[in-house]
Amino acid sequence: LFACVSPPADQHAAPPTGSLPLPPELDKLYSPKSRQRRSLQRIAVLADTQVPVLINGETGSGKEFLARAIHLSGSRADAPFIAVNCAAIPENLIESELYGYAPGSFSGAERKGKIGLIQAADGGTLFLDEIGDLELSCQVKLLRVLQDQTFEVLGDRRPRKVDIRVVSATNRNLR
């Protein structure tokens, strides 16, 4: 389900000559010394598609910056970009944060309910940072969002349609 853009096998190869121009937001990431032009060109091809993207890189390597550049390079640039750090949200709150909840769903819930981050990203991009830290049970529920573009608000069994692009990132090897 994810498009994974890997760096070229030969890290010391020169960038291709006469290559396609990059969208402005992706071009900002390119430096003649970086040797990543081919990877950025692959990303540019995916930028205006619905294909979910998984970015893998070390902490502090600019995964969110790349995710935002992908968002800004596509047709969803004027729509919301919602970034979620999956590792920073406690396990017992992640579902209510992502999916939202209906009024009276559980004790301590806001009286009016709450819109989740998935619904807040409708029309735009949902960036799930540190997806590898998300509990497996929550990853399974996200599969429905990826496959069908539907989700259920906690406490409300009606499926809701959403139009989002999902970009995820991790510093873990998920293979």
Side-chain angles (χ1 to χ4, degrees), residues 140-157:
V140 169
K141 290 182 180 182
L142 277 173
L143 185 59
R144 184 171 180 193
V145 175
L146 289 170
Q147 287 179 329
D148 304 333
Q149 297 275 297
T150 62
F151 71 100
E152 291 178 6
V153 171
L154 295 177
D156 184 351
R157 302 288 300 162

Side-chain angles (χ1 to χ4, degrees), residues 21 26 28 30 32-33 36 45 49 65 71 74 80 82-83 85 90 99 109 112 114 121 126 154 160 165:
L26 289 172
K28 290 177 188 176
Y30 175 69
K33 297 178 184 176
Q36 295 297 318
V45 170
T49 69
F65 192 78
H71 169 75
I82 304 294
N85 184 338
Y99 301 101
K112 295 181 180 181
K114 181 179 177 184
L126 179 67
L154 295 177
R160 297 180 189 212
R165 166 75 179 278

